[in-house]
Amino acid sequence: MMEDKLLLIPGPTNLSPRVRQVMAKPQLPHVGSEFYGMFKETVALARYVFRNEKGVQYVFTGSGTIGMESSVVSLVSHGDKTLTLMTGYFGHRMFMLNQVHGAQAGSIDFTEGKAADPDSLRNELRKNKYDVVFMTHIDTSSSVVNPVKELVDECNKAGVLSVVDSVCSVGGVPLDFDALGADIVFTASQKALAAAPGAVILAASQRAIEHMEKRKAPIESYYMNLLRWKPIMDDPRMYLATPATQVITALREAMLELKEEGLENRWARHRKLGEAARSTVEGWGQKFVAEEGHRADTVTSFWVAKQNAGDIQGILEKEHGIMVARGLYEERDKMLRIGHFGILSVETLRGALGTMGSVMKDLGSVPRDVEVTASDKKR
Ligand SMILES: Cc1ncc(COP(=O)(O)O)c(C=O)c1O
């Protein structure tokens, strides 16, 4: 029997007992009436989570990258001019997806740890004409939170469509799709919603849908064509592709739990989680990757001066059953990332951070004179 680990990675998160039970139920066929009712409720819950009353709400099978790529391929025709605000690894992925799909892809590359700045966007939109702007709400690689409302406002003033990758945000930090005014916002099931990986949850404005309907060149994808998925949201029995029914039932249960907690209470709990992580990491004397004022409540990234991120991660997992993440690619040894979202309580996080602090102290990554309160509960 596999033992439960405490997942403090930036997704997937630990699942609640209720979500786990739902995933173990007998197979639910997607063509039956039971799944139909359940799916409609899932879409309604997704509207609640996104605060989306005006736009089209989607829930379909795929990882967050399918959310990214379906936004690009559905909105962008070959030769369209797009601008990606790059504030970390996932901004860069969005830029690459624009290139892959034939856009004249431009970018503003903000220095690592810096948030995208609305003035730079405004200046760029004055200088050059773009069709779509892409941005990341919270870049999970750097933990930077971007000022999405100001950025989207700049796009709207310039009459440019905007897409927000909120994979690391929705359900964890305030987001109101209708008030934001963006054209597409999406997330994935395994992050702050605390469901299993495998579902894209996406909101599209009426303007985005009109743009897709009016575009001259057809959307160059079968599966990632958001126009094809639209009628399925009203009736999933109209077959397009077999949905991951367990993942969707788990997502419904996780969003029911979220609704029981209340969206605003959920945001407030994540604020406390963020504050607990930041004050602890600061107490350890570590350097945050994200600049002050733009640090996320869902994930905290910091530089490990001794470049022994792998050792810290390994001991935490093997000896304490706590999983944290390292930086991506060339930052693997230099950076640690703590995911703190989903169903996690502030008490559990504090206990685990105490353990992490003492491991880091033993390995010489936290100064000897820093006091860390290790959790006495060995996981
Ligand atoms: C901000 C952001 N965007 C996109 C993705 C891609 O999601 P997935 O790995 O589910 O494809 C991730 C994954 O961590 C992410 O954090």
Side-chain angles (χ1 to χ4, degrees):
M1 180 80 167
M2 204 168 85
E3 257 190 61
D4 265 15
K5 291 195 168 138
L6 177 64
L7 302 184
L8 296 184
I9 53 175
T13 65
N14 288 104
L15 301 177
S16 74
R18 263 170 70 176
V19 170
R20 286 160 65 144
Q21 269 166 21
V22 159
M23 291 196 76
K25 284 194 172 171
Q27 181 59 50
L28 195 59
H30 64 289
V31 287
S33 58
E34 205 181 328
F35 182 75
Y36 170 80
M38 202 278 314
F39 183 79
K40 296 287 285 181
E41 202 186 336
T42 309
V43 174
L45 285 162
R47 281 194 180 281
Y48 166 78
V49 171
F50 274 73
R51 294 207 160 155
N52 172 16
E53 285 181 16
K54 295 188 194 151
V56 175
Q57 186 64 53
Y58 291 86
V59 176
F60 58 99
T61 302
S63 83
T65 307
I66 299 274
M68 300 172 93
E69 196 156 3
S70 57
S71 308
V72 175
V73 80
S74 299
L75 289 182
V76 178
S77 303
H78 267 250
D80 277 0
K81 268 192 87 157
T82 67
L83 181 69
T84 303
L85 308 179
M86 297 211 284
T87 49
Y89 176 82
F90 289 100
H92 186 252
R93 179 177 291 186
M94 197 56 122
F95 171 72
M96 288 195 318
L97 287 168
N98 273 281
Q99 289 183 317
V100 165
H101 291 289
Q104 286 184 60
S107 66
I108 310 180
D109 197 352
F110 296 91
T111 326
E112 187 165 40
K114 292 263 182 275
D117 147 42
D119 292 341
S120 309
L121 174 61
R122 186 182 321 117
N123 291 339
E124 185 55 35
L125 294 179
R126 276 185 188 150
K127 271 195 272 161
N128 291 301
K129 190 171 164 4
Y130 289 96
D131 297 293
V132 193
V133 171
F134 293 85
M135 64 190 81
T136 321
H137 190 172
I138 293 174
D139 202 302
T140 325
S141 62
S142 57
S143 306
V144 163
V145 192
N146 283 309
V148 282
K149 179 65 184 141
E150 284 98 313
L151 296 167
V152 168
D153 283 351
E154 292 302 335
C155 296
N156 285 335
K157 273 187 231 152
V160 184
L161 296 174
S162 57
V163 174
V164 183
D165 170 349
S166 278
V167 166
C168 195
S169 334
V170 173
V173 301
L175 178 110
D176 183 324
F177 177 75
D178 288 340
L180 180 61
D183 294 285
I184 293 187
V185 177
F186 59 87
T187 190
S189 44
Q190 78 274 23
K191 305 266 183 184
L193 300 180
V200 176
I201 310 100
L202 181 148
S205 70
Q206 298 299 344
R207 187 170 63 165
I209 301 294
E210 275 162 34
H211 176 87
M212 292 175 216
E213 284 167 347
K214 284 190 187 145
R215 52 181 278 171
K216 290 196 189 79
I219 296 175
E220 289 187 17
S221 170
Y222 185 87
Y223 188 84
M224 286 180 288
N225 179 338
L226 290 174
L227 285 182
R228 270 191 212 280
W229 280 110
K230 192 167 166 280
I232 310 296
M233 298 305 113
D234 296 324
D235 190 348
R237 294 167 301 192
M238 282 162 52
Y239 169 70
L240 174 61
T242 310
T245 48
Q246 272 92 348
V247 170
I248 292 180
T249 43
L251 173 65
R252 169 179 163 270
E253 197 65 29
M255 290 196 294
L256 275 174
E257 284 191 286
L258 185 157
K259 198 170 179 190
E260 286 162 21
E261 182 178 0
L263 189 55
E264 291 186 0
N265 293 336
R266 183 94 162 194
W267 294 340
R269 177 166 55 78
H270 281 80
R271 174 134 288 264
K272 287 190 192 138
L273 287 165
E275 283 165 1
R278 288 189 294 274
S279 61
T280 308
V281 169
E282 200 158 27
W284 294 339
Q286 309 296 302
K287 193 168 169 279
F288 292 104
V289 178
E291 64 175 324
E292 193 164 2
H294 294 279
R295 293 176 189 150
D297 284 333
T298 49
V299 56
T300 297
S301 308
F302 61 94
W303 298 110
V304 185
K306 283 190 76 182
Q307 306 209 353
N308 59 350
D311 298 337
I312 299 167
Q313 186 200 42
I315 293 179
L316 268 175
E317 182 180 353
K318 278 191 207 83
E319 294 182 14
H320 302 279
I322 298 170
M323 285 189 78
V324 294
R326 297 161 70 175
L328 294 167
Y329 301 100
E330 62 272 18
E331 285 162 351
R332 266 180 83 66
D333 295 326
K334 301 180 204 158
M335 193 195 288
L336 279 170
R337 296 179 300 144
I338 304 165
H340 33 80
F341 49 17
I343 55 164
L344 183 70
S345 73
V346 179
E347 296 70 39
T348 304
L349 177 66
R350 278 193 204 288
L353 289 176
T355 307
M356 185 170 179
S358 57
V359 168
M360 288 176 64
K361 203 165 166 176
D362 289 347
L363 292 176
S365 293
V366 164
R368 290 259 137 232
D369 56 342
V370 170
E371 218 181 290
V372 290
T373 336
S375 162
D376 43 9
K377 194 170 126 214
K378 190 141 175 135
R379 293 187 53 88

